[in-house]
């Protein structure tokens, strides 16, 4: 019975993969700290270092978010959301620090008709066609 179970909702990725270039000496230092048990692995070290830097600057970041009127966190736009915006004769100005997702069933035409501008500090997940349609509206 369990083999027939399926998750009908797509899994939402809660992180974004990045690539960084490090010098060999820095990488060696990280490996040494991992080897000595301070961190589980290189990724654990790098995540911890990033979080520590973000914590050091939390007040500045908070002020900047408020000044730029950014929504903080995750923001999802469904086809129904955008159709409601279109029916109201309005246009969205999307300003998010975090993740913006635009549903797969949103057409490029609907996105262009309803989204005036997109500013995302983080990641934008949308179909390639929608991203192309909004390319001139991204800041």
């Amino acid at each position: 019975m369990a083999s027939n179970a399926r998750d009908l909702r797509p899994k939402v990725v809660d992180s974004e993969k990045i690539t960084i270039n490090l010098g060999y000496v820095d990488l060696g230092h990280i490996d040494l700290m991992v080897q000595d048990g301070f961190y589980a692995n290189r990724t654990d070290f790098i995540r911890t270092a990033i979080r520590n830097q973000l914590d050091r600057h939390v007040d500045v970041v908070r002020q900047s978010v408020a000044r730029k009127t950014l929504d903080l966190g995750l923001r999802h736009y469904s086809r129904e959301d955008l159709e409601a915006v279109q029916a109201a004769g309005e246009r969205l100005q999307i300003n998010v620090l975090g993740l913006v997702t635009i549903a797969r069933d949103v057409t490029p035409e609907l996105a262009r008709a309803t989204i005036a501008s997109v500013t995302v500090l983080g990641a934008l997940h949308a179909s390639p066609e929608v991203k192309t349609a909004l390319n001139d509206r991204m800041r």
Side-chain angles (χ1 to χ4, degrees):
M1 186 121 181
S3 64
N4 293 336
R6 289 186 304 164
D7 188 4
L8 298 178
R9 292 173 297 180
K11 299 232 185 266
V12 176
V13 178
D14 66 348
S15 63
E16 192 78 17
K17 185 175 183 174
I18 64 169
T19 301
I20 60 171
N21 295 321
L22 289 174
Y24 297 117
V25 173
D26 291 337
L27 194 55
H29 282 113
I30 294 169
D31 286 344
L32 182 62
M33 298 204 55
V34 168
Q35 190 177 53
D36 286 348
F38 289 98
Y39 299 94
N41 52 44
R42 290 175 175 175
T43 301
D44 182 34
F45 173 89
I46 292 166
R47 267 196 213 112
T48 301
I50 291 169
R51 287 184 185 130
N52 287 340
Q53 286 299 305
L54 291 172
D55 284 346
R56 285 182 63 190
H57 302 287
V58 70
D59 291 333
V60 173
V61 170
R62 208 175 274 137
Q63 291 169 6
S64 185
V65 167
R67 185 176 63 250
K68 294 180 182 190
T69 61
L70 295 166
D71 291 334
L72 187 60
L74 308 175
R75 186 67 171 100
H76 176 73
Y77 294 94
S78 68
R79 182 178 48 80
E80 292 80 14
D81 294 334
L82 297 182
E83 287 172 345
V85 168
Q86 188 175 38
E90 298 173 355
R91 297 191 65 191
L92 297 173
Q93 292 187 12
I94 299 172
N95 298 303
V96 174
L97 188 151
L99 172 65
V100 172
T101 59
I102 298 175
R104 285 277 183 207
D105 62 349
V106 170
T107 64
E109 296 78 20
L110 180 59
R112 282 196 64 79
T114 57
I115 299 172
S117 66
V118 180
T119 301
V120 180
L121 301 172
L124 170 64
H125 290 185
S127 70
E129 297 81 13
V130 167
K131 284 184 177 181
T132 299
L134 296 175
N135 195 37
D136 64 331
R137 299 169 188 201
M138 292 189 203
R139 296 183 187 140

